[in-house]
Amino acid sequence: MVAARVILVGFAVAIFHFMLQLITILNRCHRFPGFVYQKAGFSSDHKSIEIAMRPRKGSKAICSRCHQPAPGYDQLVERRFEFIPFWGFLVFLLYSMRRVDCRRCQAVVVEEVPWADGKRTLTKAYMLFLARWARRLSWKETAEAFRTSWDKVFDAVEHVVTWGLQHRVLGQIDAIGVDEIQYAKGHKYLTLVYQIDLGVTRLLWVGKERTIESFQGFFTAMGKDVISKIVFVCSDMWEPYLKLIRENCSEALHILDRFHIVANMNKALDNVRAEETSRMKREGRAPVLKKSRWLLLRRSENLGAEQHFRLRDLLRYNLKTVRAYLLKEAFQQLWEYSSPAWAGKFLDEWCRQTMRSRIEPMKKIARSLRQHRELILNYFRAQKLLSSGVVEGLNNKAKVTMRKSYGFRTYRVLELALYHSLGKLPEPDSTHDFF
Ligand SMILES: [Zn+2]
């Protein structure tokens, strides 16, 4: 009986010392002038650790509106600020916010505290911690790993991204790439603008929809100073983009994106194939085009031996699909040129042949290429420096991010997730690296 009591008392003393140690540790890594850690203890259910804070004696509260010290007015009820969990315990800082009677603002205003942003119950340190993990894991996995909710992970990322966007340095931007990405069924698109300089590739801007109004937002957000110095612009043939780029970056060399030209050509070929397949079926002919889709869309050097054999077999038929395929394959040669003049000659000849092919989807491509001839040749003028590979790579990363992030496929979630993983944004300052 006595022994049991001794053990219990010993245990209580150990916990007491541990809590003191905790305060020492916090003073080392999360210390703020004007505030002191008062005491630490377990919550009544023993599931979390609570650390009481108070203002240092004689320190003045800071007005959260004008960020200047102001005379005290009163004190609000205690608030719990969520801190980084520790050994499986949730950790909370407890603090009663003061209100100040600010003469400058001529109002009674709640004080500003350095560990929180005034809106959220998560501490800044915890938000940075969660946001960093949310870049490696999905938001859902992050919430599960730290026993918090998806909404809090969202709050954390929003805080860090907002700070990052306010504090990022745009500097000189030489080249940008514009792209779009579908984010939900029913033609819901995002417009993404990347910086694609040789040294820096990052996401600069995300816009809802792909309209003139939305894309104009990019030029407004960046400001005339940055925009006027852009030298290269890479984009696909979406007309609203072209128009705005012409208006805003009149000095820049506009480059049509190789990736998009190839993608459009594949789409045209696919249409020819689908149309011809159903026509042959109607006419009761042998289904030679069956299962030929990937055979025709893939680059021939990426085919296996058996597929090669099937493709050779298929090419013996005099079909529209086959002629379209050969035109598409022949077009690849364009990218081998290094001189804009020779590339131009090749392009003209290819368009001439294609216009005589009597294959409407391919003729449509040729017309579009003719119309954008100078933009395409800019690709060669820029000496392939800014190959679309960069934009394509960034776009693939964007798609992976979109798959990972949510939750809910709302525009706001996607916007935050994309800036967070591709924006290379600066992070808020921290009293300590908690990792
Ligand atoms: Zn004030």
Side-chain angles (χ1 to χ4, degrees), residues 328-387:
K328 185 201 82 155
E329 282 295 292
F331 189 80
Q332 296 302 330
Q333 202 197 318
L334 176 72
W335 312 113
E336 311 293 325
Y337 287 99
S338 50
S339 128
W342 284 106
K345 276 195 179 128
F346 174 85
L347 187 64
D348 296 340
E349 178 55 27
W350 187 89
C351 288
R352 206 174 52 80
Q353 271 187 37
T354 304
M355 289 309 286
R356 289 190 317 203
S357 70
R358 278 175 291 161
I359 306 171
E360 193 40 48
M362 294 306 279
K363 281 167 74 177
K364 203 172 146 203
I365 296 263
R367 264 181 240 122
S368 163
L369 290 174
R370 272 182 177 169
Q371 203 185 339
H372 298 105
R373 184 179 189 273
E374 289 313 300
L375 298 185
I376 294 163
L377 296 185
N378 278 347
Y379 173 82
F380 300 92
R381 295 188 185 113
Q383 296 169 313
K384 299 187 184 181
L385 257 186
L386 307 158
S387 80

Side-chain angles (χ1 to χ4, degrees), residues 63-70 100 102-107 109:
C63 167
S64 60
R65 214 178 279 174
C66 63
H67 314 291
Q68 301 294 325
V100 295
C102 182
R103 258 160 249 159
R104 235 178 245 95
C105 302
Q106 298 206 325
V109 182

Side-chain angles (χ1 to χ4, degrees), residues 281-296:
K281 198 176 171 191
R282 274 201 311 275
E283 293 169 1
R285 292 161 65 186
V288 290
L289 283 170
K290 214 177 164 191
K291 290 188 182 159
S292 65
R293 183 156 189 259
W294 290 110
L295 227 47
L296 295 166

